[in-house]
């Protein structure tokens, strides 16, 4: 294995590594650690000025886990698990960013991360079986393997609303929140969006701002987070039960500590059903979603029973019945969109300084110099905050100019939706691994699984002198068909049931509508990945090159 170096004549300034990772978020940090442990030279390019990815960029007021903190942290190091004390059951962004910095320092990861450096393009060199990347500041580097650890929710979406350039006030997107918090005290603030991000933000800023206008297109089923500090005794218990926590998250449907009740809502009496709903509602986190009767997610009638329970919970909390009805979702089943977790969101709409603007009744026409104009009114504003989400799953890759063996880009190849094998590779892009949580998953759990899988695959190649791996067209076709079949037959992901959301790319104008995640459980996905590896990575074609080294 050769050290990091500049290459020879004709390629002055081109650095060479065994692996290049794009992104120093939760997945990039993990993979850097994993590959370096194997003795590879690894270099990470990170656009941000620090580690954290999602937790670096999304530093808006109120940003917080919806996963229990202790189920979100890395599981790979017992020492780390012993050392790190989560302060809250659902950590806020500052704590999570501190945690990821602690991890970076503890494992000395920073020395291989180049911050403030955006990768702008990547080309596969057929002859050398290597990737060459270029950065915005003119840097170039080559590596045998390219790991796209770019996240699924990193390409933020700024809707094309006419007039933004005319606006005289300040404006921000939650996913590019400034490091120096804007001073919102006493100001007239408009928030566009009511997804998981907006729900956290709105709750946090409502008491601070002068006036708050919430521009809502679609109401969501928001459920109480029920966060709290972790006391010393609970901390001790959590640490003692880490093996149990991670065993559980390896078995549950979405790798959270919660899992569905195998019973049907129709198996129990109405009294028992409501008692169970109430019990779940009183619990923290996603218990009231992912711990519910299983058929809520599979049967429209069961779903509607619970949806109505949640609607009534919303109605109980909002004093003005007309405002309450606007906040109650009626156009999609419970769970068809991500359930935002909240800590006082609905009470915000009882405040005198808050106005809910229903964009279904009166759409935004334009942004003016002084604020936002809807069909029926002008809302004067000092600050506009876009909590308008992301070009999810595919956006982080299609927005980069990555070209595979035949010069084809992700944008071209995925014009009709993502085509992958196992979510981890796409035919025509040899030696490029996509490190994403492909299914609906408590992210770090699926990332550690897939990151291990990629590292093991590279070890397998090195042991056999392979310098090239590529998903075959057949394997990709088979997986893409299988993923579509799963999405088409499951109640909440079926095209006739899914509502507009990032899950299907409907939030991005012109994006082909297709279910973007793998509609299967995390354990089923893990089993499939393990099976492929055990069968000699079936579905992948390997190639040997002239050199035996991995780069
Ligand atoms: P989401 O869930 O995609 O929410 C974006 C919100 O912005 C949603 O309420 C949208 O309304 C709204 N939106 C988007 N474009 C517009 C326009 N043009 N006009 C008005 N309103 C608009 O993003 P989040 O950041 O909240 O959450 C993303 C994920 O991050 C979340 O699922 C968690 O996993 C963490 P719509 O619903 O499309 O009508």
């Amino acid at each position: 294995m050769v050290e990091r170096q500049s290459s020879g004549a004709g390629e002055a300034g081109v650095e060479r590594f065994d692996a290049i990772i794009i992104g120093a978020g939760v997945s990039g940090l993990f993979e850097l650690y994993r590959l370096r442990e194997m003795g590879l030279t690894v270099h990470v390019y990170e656009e941000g000025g620090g580690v954290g990815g999602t937790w670096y960029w999304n530093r808006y007021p109120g940003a917080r886990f919806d996963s229990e903190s202790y189920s979100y942290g890395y599981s790979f190091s017992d020492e780390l698990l012993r050392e790190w004390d989560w302060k809250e059951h659902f950590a806020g962004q500052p704590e999570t960013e501190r945690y990821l910095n602690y991890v970076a320092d503890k494992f000395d990861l920073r020395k291989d991360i180049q911050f403030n450096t955006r990768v702008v393009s990547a080309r596969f060199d057929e002859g050398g079986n290597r990737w060459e990347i270029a950065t915005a500041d003119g840097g170039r580097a080559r590596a045998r393997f390219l790991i796209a650890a770019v996240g699924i929710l990193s390409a933020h979406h700024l809707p094309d609303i006419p007039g933004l350039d005319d606006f005289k006030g300040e404006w921000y997107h939650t996913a590019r929140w400034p490091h120096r918090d804007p001073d919102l005290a006493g100001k007239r603030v408009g928030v566009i969006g009511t997804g998981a991000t907006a729900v956290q933000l709105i709750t946090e800023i409502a008491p601070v701002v002068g006036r708050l206008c919430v521009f809502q297109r679609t109401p969501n089923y928001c459920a109480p987070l029920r966060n709290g500090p972790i006391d010393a005794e609970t901390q001790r218990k959590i640490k003692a039960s880490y093996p149990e926590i991670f065993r559980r998250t390896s078995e549950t449907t979405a790798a959270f500590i919660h899992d569905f009740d195998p019973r049907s809502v129709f198996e129990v009496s109405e009294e028992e059903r409501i008692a169970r709903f109430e019990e779940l509602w009183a619990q923290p986190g996603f218990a009231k979603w992912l711990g519910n009767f299983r058929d809520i997610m599979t049967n429209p009638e069961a779903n509607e029973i619970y949806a109505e329970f949640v609607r009534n919970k919303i109605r109980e909390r909002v004093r003005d019945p007309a405002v309450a009805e606007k906040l109650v979702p009626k156009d999609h089943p419970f769970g068809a969109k991500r359930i935002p977790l909240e800590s006082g969101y609905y009470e915000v709409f009882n405040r005198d300084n808050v106005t809910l603007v229903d964009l279904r009744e009166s759409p935004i026409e334009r942004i003016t110099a002084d604020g936002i104009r809807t069909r029926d009114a002008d809302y004067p504003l000092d600050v506009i905050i876009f909590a308008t989400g992301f070009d999810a799953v595919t956006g982080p890759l299609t927005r980069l100019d990555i070209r595979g063996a035949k010069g084809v880009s992700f944008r071209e190849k995925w014009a009709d939706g993502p085509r992958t094998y196992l979510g981890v590779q796409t035919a025509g892009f040899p030696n490029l691994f996509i490190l994403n949580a492909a299914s609906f998953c408590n992210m770090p759990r699926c990332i550690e699984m897939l990151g291990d899988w990629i590292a093991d695959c590279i070890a397998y190649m090195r042991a056999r002198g392979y310098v090239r791996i590529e998903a075959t067209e057949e394997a990709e076709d088979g997986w893409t068909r299988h993923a579509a079949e799963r999405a088409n037959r499951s109640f909440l992901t079926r095209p006739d049931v899914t509502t507009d959301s990032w899950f299907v790319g409907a939030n991005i104008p012109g994006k082909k509508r297709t279910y973007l995640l793998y509609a299967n459980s995390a354990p089923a996905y893990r089993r499939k990945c393990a099976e492929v590896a055990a069968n000699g990575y079936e579905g992948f074609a390997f190639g040997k090159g002239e050199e035996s080294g991995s780069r």
Side-chain angles (χ1 to χ4, degrees):
M1 188 64 52
V2 199
E3 291 298 300
R4 174 180 171 178
Q5 61 179 35
S6 284
S7 65
E11 290 187 300
V14 180
E15 293 195 283
R16 300 177 73 126
F17 307 97
D18 293 321
I20 288 174
I21 298 175
I22 310 178
V26 174
S27 55
L29 292 180
F30 176 71
E31 204 59 6
L32 167 59
Y33 170 80
R34 237 354 222 96
L35 296 183
R36 226 173 55 181
E37 285 289 287
M38 285 165 51
L40 270 71
T41 55
V42 188
H43 198 66
V44 180
Y45 291 94
E46 168 55 55
E47 185 178 353
V51 298
T54 289
W55 300 108
Y56 174 85
W57 296 108
N58 289 269
R59 46 200 321 123
Y60 58 85
R64 182 175 293 288
F65 284 158
D66 283 343
S67 306
E68 282 72 8
S69 307
Y70 35 89
S71 78
Y72 191 96
Y74 293 112
S75 71
F76 68 86
S77 160
D78 288 341
E79 207 175 278
L80 175 63
L81 290 169
R82 269 197 308 275
E83 284 171 8
W84 184 260
D85 290 345
W86 290 106
K87 301 278 183 278
E88 291 183 88
H89 284 275
F90 300 88
Q93 179 274 338
E95 187 179 359
T96 309
E97 195 184 16
R98 265 199 311 279
Y99 168 73
L100 293 168
N101 275 282
Y102 181 83
V103 171
D105 291 334
K106 179 174 175 58
F107 298 103
D108 198 14
L109 301 178
R110 272 178 226 286
K111 66 173 192 251
D112 292 314
I113 306 174
Q114 194 171 324
F115 293 106
N116 301 306
T117 310
R118 189 161 56 88
V119 171
V120 287
S121 69
R123 297 280 180 274
F124 187 69
D125 161 22
E126 271 281 17
N129 287 310
R130 283 190 191 79
W131 282 93
E132 178 165 325
I133 63 98
T135 59
D137 58 5
R140 283 165 67 200
R142 302 187 123 221
R144 173 73 69 220
F145 300 106
L146 182 61
I147 318 282
V150 290
I152 62 170
L153 294 161
S154 57
H156 66 290
H157 169 58
L158 186 67
D160 189 14
I161 301 173
L164 183 56
D165 287 344
D166 302 336
F167 183 56
K168 285 190 304 210
E170 301 159 38
W171 66 267
Y172 304 97
H173 192 290
T174 47
R176 285 294 179 279
W177 197 258
H179 272 61
R180 180 193 290 240
D181 256 324
D183 181 13
L184 303 177
K187 303 225 169 106
R188 298 165 304 174
V189 177
V191 175
I192 304 181
T194 50
T197 297
V199 165
Q200 293 182 333
L201 169 87
I202 287 165
T203 312
E204 196 76 12
I205 66 172
V208 176
V209 302
R211 275 222 68 77
L212 179 63
C213 294
V214 175
F215 295 87
Q216 171 187 274
R217 195 163 63 180
T218 315
N220 275 304
Y221 296 93
C222 308
L225 174 66
R226 306 200 194 285
N227 188 24
I230 296 176
D231 61 34
E233 176 56 14
T234 311
Q235 189 75 256
R236 201 189 51 71
K237 283 193 188 139
I238 288 169
K239 291 197 179 182
S241 56
Y242 268 128
E244 164 61 18
I245 290 169
F246 293 123
R247 189 193 55 72
R248 179 152 177 80
T249 56
S250 74
E251 290 169 354
T252 57
T253 307
F256 286 87
I257 60 168
H258 314 283
D259 207 5
F260 292 104
D261 185 329
R263 294 173 304 167
S264 155
V265 291
F266 300 112
E267 258 175 75
V268 296
S269 68
E270 191 180 346
E271 208 180 10
E272 207 180 323
R273 177 197 302 159
I274 290 170
R276 180 69 184 142
F277 285 169
E278 292 289 357
E279 192 191 329
L280 288 169
W281 201 253
Q283 288 179 27
F286 280 136
K288 62 281 278 178
W289 181 11
L290 305 175
N292 221 311
F293 295 99
R294 181 167 289 277
D295 55 349
I296 279 172
M297 302 300 283
T298 56
N299 174 337
E301 286 83 38
N303 187 286
E304 178 53 26
I305 290 173
Y306 189 60
E308 193 53 22
F309 172 86
V310 179
R311 291 183 196 120
N312 286 331
K313 288 288 180 199
I314 299 170
R315 290 178 180 120
E316 279 168 18
R317 290 170 61 185
V318 182
R319 275 203 296 271
D320 180 337
V323 174
E325 279 320 298
K326 289 188 205 302
L327 288 165
V328 165
K330 297 177 189 110
D331 67 341
H332 63 276
F334 177 89
K337 299 179 79 164
R338 164 73 144 73
I339 302 301
L341 294 182
E342 52 81 32
S343 307
Y345 176 64
Y346 290 111
E347 286 71 17
V348 162
F349 298 94
N350 296 333
R351 299 178 62 91
D352 292 337
N353 68 334
V354 176
T355 306
L356 179 66
V357 182
D358 185 341
L359 300 179
R360 299 266 180 225
E361 283 176 1
S362 179
I364 294 178
E365 283 193 338
R366 63 176 297 111
I367 294 171
T368 65
D370 302 314
I372 291 180
R373 176 172 300 156
T374 66
R375 197 178 56 203
D376 301 327
D378 275 301
Y379 296 89
L381 299 168
D382 304 307
V383 181
I384 298 176
I385 302 176
F386 293 88
T388 43
F390 302 88
D391 183 355
V393 185
T394 54
L397 289 167
T398 55
R399 288 183 184 189
L400 275 173
D401 181 23
I402 300 179
R403 290 178 188 273
K406 298 195 175 68
V408 174
S409 68
F410 272 98
R411 177 180 290 278
E412 289 157 351
K413 170 140 193 201
W414 286 2
D416 289 332
R419 298 185 54 75
T420 73
Y421 179 40
L422 298 177
V424 76
Q425 260 213 354
T426 187
F429 293 72
N431 297 2
L432 188 155
F433 294 101
I434 304 165
L435 177 46
N436 265 345
S439 54
F440 179 77
C441 188
N442 185 14
M443 292 288 170
R445 301 285 66 80
C446 285
I447 280 165
E448 279 188 338
M449 185 284 286
L450 197 58
D452 281 339
W453 188 95
I454 293 169
D456 291 347
C457 178
I458 290 175
Y460 174 92
M461 289 177 68
R462 290 185 353 140
R464 287 160 183 77
Y466 293 136
V467 294
R468 179 181 172 118
I469 174 172
E470 183 177 0
T472 65
E473 295 278 357
E474 297 75 43
E476 178 180 288
D477 282 349
W479 179 260
T480 306
R481 230 183 0 260
H482 161 71
E485 276 162 14
R486 288 221 46 108
N488 288 345
R489 76 165 184 249
S490 150
F491 162 51
L492 287 174
T493 56
R494 256 169 31 204
D496 60 319
V497 174
T498 53
T499 186
D500 289 355
S501 78
W502 66 259
F503 287 151
V504 291
N507 59 329
I508 305 298
K511 188 165 175 174
K512 168 102 182 192
R513 192 183 181 107
T514 176
Y515 193 74
L516 292 167
L517 296 174
Y518 177 46
N520 205 344
S521 71
Y525 177 58
R526 191 180 56 248
R527 275 196 301 277
K528 180 65 190 169
C529 291
E531 193 183 297
V532 166
N535 292 334
Y537 295 91
E538 63 183 348
F540 292 96
F542 291 98
K544 288 199 176 186
E546 281 163 22
E547 325 146 70
S548 56
S550 64
R551 26 178 203 164

